[in-house]
Amino acid sequence: MTASIASRARILTGDTPTGRLHLGHWVGSLENRVRLQDQYDCYFLIANMHAYTTRAEKAVDVRRDTLEIAKDWLSVGIDPERSTLVLQTEIPAIAELSWYFAMLLPFNRVMRNPTLKAEIEAKDLGDHYSFGFPLYAVGQCADILAFRAELVPVGEDQKAHIEMCREVARSFNRIYSGVDPTTKDDDAVANGGVFPIPSALLGRISRLIGTDGKHKMSKSLDNAIFLSDDTATILKKTKKVVTGRQSATDPGVIENNALFQYARAFMTDTARYAELETLYTAGQIGDGDVKKEVAGAIDTFLAPIRERRAGFEGTQGDARILEILREHTSRANAVAEETLRMAKAAMKLDYGARTISF
Ligand code: TRP
């Protein structure tokens, strides 16, 4: 290795533990994470505090899902030797920075965040969501900035959060570090800012359609193929994919067709993929035949992931995951505490230096 770990730019991204991860997570962000592990100093955060914003009464479920996320990550090839797993609730600097950042964001700016609005609608939260719910968007700025990350691999739906994070970083640098507002984003730190202005890195498919053929793939909409699904389940779910095509001889439409999105994403034989497109648009192949091939491609892709996951099942698996989380959280705290010290010094809050142990 030529560059030392400390000299590599940092990535921070994460998932909220709401259940097992699915193919949408893979194409949106996981794939980029796995790919960039050598180039960047990577921090992958389990947003278990955020899980309580909508499931405060489901502590047992949140704990189970927290371990499931870690298992999914390790199964897809996130390497605990190269990347750091971050358990959000055990990083006090994140909660503290959230408070300071909340003061830099107008309340109405947060409430206009389109991702929050979409979630309120999708989860049917009406006007009875908790105070903590919109606060999570501010917390997400702190997740990223606590690690002074430069790159945030996320799905399309998270872009609005990253934009808000960029605004917070710019405001902080301007107000507390005296960075001139005309400074280019890339030069923020060179000009004395505490925080780099992070960029979102979107996946190769910005929005994977669910098996309902309509909505974004999502656990809550019951239209997801999970990374841990077995062969039979994959086949069953793929067979149900809604394409809207009436008969096998109708000219098929590729655009916005979930089946072809999956085919493009997971078939490794690109010549066969091109052939399928031609046959389908000419009305020379039925949906059923395409579905079988696509299910096979997804299964081939998921087989090694499933196999690795099997190594983490049971109480022994849980113990191994908890051990990794503890070790990594202590590493993560070293970085986040350093950031907090820098931020507090800029804010004239440098009353003393604390150390935490975990
Ligand atoms: N809100 C993200 C999601 O639900 C998870 C998340 C929390 C996150 N903190 C983050 C993503 C920081 C990127 C960066 O998917």
Side-chain angles (χ1 to χ4, degrees), residues 94-278:
I94 292 177
E96 290 178 57
L97 287 170
S98 300
W99 255 99
Y100 299 127
F101 294 156
M103 265 83 80
L104 300 181
L105 281 161
F107 179 76
N108 291 321
R109 163 69 183 92
V110 177
M111 299 315 289
R112 272 198 307 271
N113 180 314
T115 300
L116 281 185
K117 280 185 166 178
E119 244 174 307
I120 289 169
E121 200 154 307
K123 294 181 182 157
D124 210 11
L125 302 177
D127 59 2
H128 55 268
Y129 50 82
S130 66
F131 195 95
F133 174 73
L135 187 62
Y136 100 72
V138 182
Q140 183 155 341
C141 302
D143 295 336
I144 298 166
L145 298 180
F147 293 87
R148 283 167 284 143
E150 291 177 31
L151 199 63
V152 189
V154 280
E156 174 82 24
D157 62 316
Q158 296 292 306
K159 255 180 88 177
H161 288 331
I162 312 306
E163 191 47 48
M164 217 169 78
C165 177
R166 291 161 62 82
E167 288 173 27
V168 167
R170 287 190 199 107
S171 300
F172 188 101
N173 288 342
R174 176 176 52 80
I175 296 169
Y176 299 117
S177 311
V179 174
D180 187 292
T182 62
T183 304
K184 285 209 197 73
D185 283 344
D186 285 349
D187 298 334
V189 172
N191 283 275
V194 170
F195 298 110
I197 315 301
S199 308
L201 175 70
L202 298 183
R204 74 183 147 125
I205 295 176
S206 56
R207 180 181 176 275
L208 194 72
I209 307 169
T211 55
D212 59 0
K214 205 163 146 191
H215 300 101
K216 192 187 86 155
M217 188 175 281
S218 135
K219 174 185 149 47
S220 55
L221 295 174
D222 199 20
N223 66 2
I225 298 175
F226 295 101
L227 299 176
S228 45
D229 277 348
D230 61 23
T231 306
T233 309
I234 294 166
L235 190 60
K236 199 175 84 197
K237 288 182 176 175
T238 312
K239 272 191 185 156
K240 279 199 316 210
V241 171
V242 180
T243 64
R245 191 175 181 224
Q246 300 299 331
S247 92
T249 51
D250 277 357
V253 179
I254 306 295
E255 208 185 331
N256 290 327
N257 183 328
L259 202 52
F260 274 83
Q261 248 198 349
Y262 303 165
R264 206 173 327 126
F266 299 107
M267 280 178 68
T268 46
D269 185 346
T270 48
R272 178 60 185 158
Y273 171 76
E275 199 176 353
L276 279 184
E277 267 202 4
T278 310

Side-chain angles (χ1 to χ4, degrees), residues 315-329:
T315 30
Q316 253 188 345
D318 283 358
R320 173 80 188 111
I321 298 286
L322 286 170
E323 189 189 350
I324 293 173
L325 287 179
R326 261 185 231 114
E327 213 181 280
H328 284 211
T329 296

Side-chain angles (χ1 to χ4, degrees), residues 14-17 45-52 73 86 88 143:
D15 298 300
T16 308
L45 173 127
I46 305 178
N48 61 334
M49 189 179 274
H50 293 187
Y52 282 77
W73 285 355
V86 185
Q88 190 181 44
D143 295 336

